[in-house]
Amino acid sequence: MSAAMNAGLDAGRAPGEKIILRGRKVVGGCCEGEALVTRDRVSGWGGIDPSTGTIIETRHQLRGQSFKGKVLVFPGAKGSSGWSNQFHIARLAGTAPAAMLFNEMTTKIALGAVVTHAPAMTDFDRDPLQVIETGDWVRVDADRGVVEVTKKR
Amino acid sequence: MKLNDQERAMLDGAEGPAIQRAMDLLMRYGEALGAERLVDTRNVCGTIGATTPFMRQYAQKPGGMDAVFSEFNLDSATVVQVPKVRAFATHLQQGMDPDYAELQGIAPEVVNLFRKGNAWSSGLGVQLMNTCTPYQVGNVPVKGEHCAWMESSAVIYCNSVLGARTNTEGRESTGAAMLTGKIPYWGYHCDENRYGTHLVEVDIDVETTADWGLLGYYVGEIVQDRIPVLKGIRHVPNLPRLKHFGAAASSSGGVEMYHLVGITPEAPTLESAFGPKQPVATIRYGMAERRRAYELVNATARDREIQYVMLGCPHYTIEQIWEAAKLLEGKRLHPDVSLWIFTPRVIKSLADQNGYTSIIEAAGAKIMTDTCSAMAKAIPKGTKVAAFDSMKQAHYLPAMMGIQGWFGTTEDCIDAAVSGRFNGDLK
């Protein structure tokens, strides 16, 4: 705990430490996986390649990385209204994220999460972007509104 | 979500399985949003075609277009037979121009699929406008009208310029809305969510279409998906300028609504634009910010030798085609360069009638309809570097197609098409 207090952030705790976040279900279900975290909003159409689940947007923090099977933690959606369709295709292509955790509710992300069929949550008691780092192990129980984060480092 | 009796009956299957699936999706979507109810809409802009590469494969499966609609418009793995649409529904841009299929790299059997899909769609009562700019060709909602539109550049125009009300819907929600005439009452449907959040003080003259694009791109980059209120606009814009401004702001950020003080319908004054709210931030837009937008959008561009010029994102107006024709009249494109101009089919027929198509084709350029390079993923063979007069296309196409892209004025782009070299710079 002292490391977190020193840093003034929740990130940077001891390896193996567990952190619980509570939030609102967007799409129900349970799953677990490795976190992929970005502070950049994600663009769907023109921003991802759904055949591989890779972020392709030119200036994106995660450019070239795939969210396939990952717990994607991000601020929210941006860009074209093709957002839901691109994640819908990703689901059918088997490249969708395992779960989505985000802060900003929009119609793009709501519909996109619904058609991705993966557990999704928002409205957290703490900012998941502050708590979760790429590589952490994350268990999402959207039905109960609970996210359990196991710190990698 | 609270449903009224009619909506409940739809969900219970009283109006058949397709309406039932549509209402089920609207319920899941509304609950994901945190909406409390649905609102009636008679005006839907969406897409139900199957011409983009992934959809084409899907349309070949058993069930054909019903299977495409079930999966991609209703999020239903069960194939349902799709009834005629209830709302006035207009089709957005598709995945090809059937008249230029070969140039766009589209196989003849895919053209057949496109024609079959169009016949199927029109049989449902969907208007085949096949454009990202339905407001140019017969779907012009009035202030306060509840709509269910997708296409980010059309949504921002609908909310901001027309004062109608829509969220950025998607393929699935517009499919459900076409069949039911319903959409979640949330976001921009509600008065309290339409007020400005950020004040933008525009310190410089913004007049040309390119200038409006640069302003939109910068503002979107800063405010992301909030609502900018722009003060200090010294020149009243027109349709192409606001079309470009909105497309740019919705690409760099996710702007779905803006106010231009003294110009757009919900902002007669600064006070009315913000309503009971205070701006969360004030942004200045001057020469440095304009330069910043230009540099951001040209991030992928290095080489000046170009092979492709694409105009018409969002789809060109007849005024823009007229301007392009004037710039091209009596000239010939460089032999290594293709120039494709995209517009709605209805406007191309006007361009034919006015003689602009002949002038443009005599120069070696093409006017294409129903799609654009980004939707069709179609660029001329061998393109390594392209030029656009659209911030939106310059934002998206290089990433999608792995090419370099320059943004410039229409004049810069046409000069590049004739000389083979992009000589534009920020003036």
Side-chain angles (χ1 to χ4, degrees):
Chain A
M1 291 302 283
S2 60
M5 287 167 70
N6 287 342
L9 287 173
D10 291 318
R13 295 177 183 230
E17 187 173 350
K18 288 192 189 329
I19 303 168
I20 302 292
L21 282 83
R22 292 178 193 283
R24 177 172 81 80
K25 173 184 86 170
V26 174
V27 175
C30 296
C31 76
E32 52 192 296
E34 197 178 293
L36 180 65
V37 183
T38 175
R39 292 179 180 279
D40 288 349
R41 291 169 183 82
V42 174
S43 199
W45 182 89
I48 69 165
D49 175 358
S51 68
T52 57
T54 306
I55 302 229
I56 60 167
E57 186 181 354
T58 304
R59 292 185 280 114
H60 201 281
Q61 189 188 2
L62 296 184
R63 185 178 184 196
Q65 295 193 56
S66 174
F67 48 63
K68 178 182 176 179
K70 300 282 177 66
V71 174
L72 184 61
V73 186
F74 60 122
K78 69 167 186 178
S80 161
S81 59
W83 214 96
S84 63
N85 179 241
Q86 291 294 297
F87 278 82
H88 195 149
I89 291 173
R91 190 236 310 157
L92 294 167
T95 67
M100 294 198 237
L101 309 177
F102 57 91
N103 287 328
E104 299 160 0
M105 179 51 80
T106 58
T107 48
K108 280 170 215 163
I109 186 71
L111 186 63
V114 163
V115 302
T116 302
H117 296 188
M121 289 175 56
T122 190
D123 292 342
F124 292 99
D125 56 357
R126 277 188 290 169
D127 182 356
L129 295 172
Q130 294 284 327
V131 175
I132 309 174
E133 294 166 283
T134 293
D136 290 348
W137 192 256
V138 181
R139 190 179 143 70
V140 178
D141 184 343
D143 296 315
R144 286 173 53 232
V146 177
V147 174
E148 184 186 275
V149 183
T150 305
K151 297 304 291 183
K152 180 183 168 193
R153 53 164 198 257
Chain B
M1 285 256 292
K2 281 190 192 138
L3 298 186
N4 64 28
D5 290 348
Q6 179 206 20
E7 292 157 359
R8 175 64 57 191
M10 287 179 176
L11 185 63
D12 291 343
E15 301 192 31
I19 303 277
Q20 192 275 331
R21 297 311 301 160
M23 192 52 74
D24 176 76
L25 173 61
L26 291 173
M27 281 289 288
R28 287 185 284 137
Y29 172 39
E31 281 171 359
L33 285 168
E36 291 175 359
R37 67 178 178 91
L38 300 171
V39 64
D40 289 343
T41 176
R42 292 184 40 79
N43 189 328
V44 181
C45 284
T47 182
I48 66 173
T51 50
T52 52
F54 189 84
M55 301 287 168
R56 287 170 200 161
Q57 306 166 21
Y58 223 82
Q60 315 282 4
K61 293 183 178 176
M65 293 304 293
D66 279 327
V68 171
F69 196 99
S70 299
E71 180 62 58
F72 292 104
N73 291 95
L74 299 176
D75 188 30
S76 166
T78 308
V79 177
V80 293
Q81 193 184 344
V82 182
K84 285 186 190 290
V85 297
R86 187 163 298 184
F88 175 60
T90 53
H91 205 294
L92 293 163
Q93 67 277 29
Q94 304 215 29
M96 74 172 76
D97 178 345
D99 300 336
Y100 287 106
E102 198 181 337
L103 265 183
Q104 292 179 356
I106 313 273
E109 60 269 24
V110 183
V111 179
N112 286 337
L113 195 65
F114 172 85
R115 294 194 194 283
K116 272 164 68 179
N118 270 356
W120 184 82
S121 302
S122 59
L124 297 179
V126 174
Q127 312 297 323
L128 294 173
M129 292 181 184
N130 296 358
T131 176
C132 49
T133 59
Y135 50 86
Q136 285 205 76
V137 288
N139 188 349
V140 191
V142 299
K143 184 166 182 270
E145 186 174 347
H146 290 286
C147 301
W149 282 23
M150 58 183 292
E151 171 50 44
S152 54
S153 72
V155 164
I156 189 171
Y157 196 92
C158 181
N159 276 321
S160 314
V161 183
L162 303 176
R165 298 184 172 210
T166 184
N167 291 309
T168 299
E169 296 300 341
R171 183 171 175 129
E172 300 85 358
S173 58
T174 51
M178 286 176 193
L179 300 190
T180 59
K182 308 279 181 183
I183 201 75
Y185 182 74
W186 190 85
Y188 291 103
H189 291 287
C190 315
D191 289 345
E192 64 270 25
N193 297 326
R194 297 177 64 84
Y195 296 115
T197 61
H198 290 64
L199 178 63
V200 182
E201 293 188 339
V202 179
D203 290 342
I204 54 175
D205 276 324
V206 174
E207 191 165 11
T208 65
T209 305
D211 276 343
W212 277 96
L214 290 164
L215 175 60
Y217 201 77
Y218 184 79
V219 168
E221 181 81 17
I222 302 295
V223 310
Q224 292 291 314
D225 60 355
R226 307 300 295 281
I227 306 176
V229 177
L230 288 87
K231 193 181 105 178
I233 301 295
R234 300 168 204 165
H235 309 278
V236 175
N238 60 9
L239 191 157
R241 291 170 187 175
L242 293 186
K243 171 168 73 73
H244 192 207
F245 173 79
S250 60
S251 300
S252 61
V255 179
E256 296 171 44
M257 175 149 194
Y258 60 84
H259 299 283
L260 306 179
V261 176
I263 297 170
T264 54
E266 292 173 55
T269 62
L270 190 64
E271 291 69 32
S272 55
F274 283 105
K277 299 186 179 172
Q278 292 294 318
V280 298
T282 298
I283 298 149
R284 306 197 82 79
Y285 183 78
M287 293 308 279
E289 290 74 21
R290 181 172 176 267
R291 161 74 49 191
R292 174 80 183 131
Y294 185 82
E295 286 167 357
L296 282 175
V297 81
N298 280 320
T300 67
R302 293 180 310 276
D303 302 327
R304 294 273 173 175
E305 304 299 318
I306 59 145
Q307 296 79 40
Y308 179 38
V309 175
M310 186 269 190
L311 306 176
C313 168
H315 274 174
Y316 253 15
T317 66
I318 191 64
E319 181 185 2
Q320 291 177 297
I321 293 178
W322 171 57
E323 285 167 354
K326 285 191 288 185
L327 290 166
L328 281 166
E329 190 156 23
K331 296 187 181 141
R332 273 303 291 177
L333 298 193
H334 188 278
D336 299 337
V337 179
S338 301
L339 168 56
W340 296 355
I341 300 175
F342 294 88
T343 194
R345 187 165 285 269
V346 172
I347 289 181
K348 185 178 183 185
S349 84
L350 187 54
D352 293 347
Q353 180 175 285
N354 292 351
Y356 306 148
T357 310
S358 311
I359 294 168
I360 287 165
E361 288 179 350
K366 307 273 188 257
I367 301 183
M368 298 182 178
T369 64
D370 303 76
T371 190
C372 71
S373 275
M375 290 301 294
K377 293 195 167 58
I379 56 178
K381 279 200 190 90
T383 299
K384 293 190 180 69
V385 188
F388 316 100
D389 67 351
S390 160
M391 304 288 286
K392 177 174 183 172
Q393 202 72 202
H395 179 87
Y396 282 118
L397 202 67
M400 293 176 77
M401 305 302 290
I403 58 172
Q404 296 178 42
W406 288 100
F407 165 77
T409 65
T410 307
E411 291 83 353
D412 291 338
C413 288
I414 288 183
D415 173 75
V418 171
S419 69
R421 190 180 158 80
F422 182 82
N423 294 311
D425 198 358
L426 193 62
K427 291 179 188 83

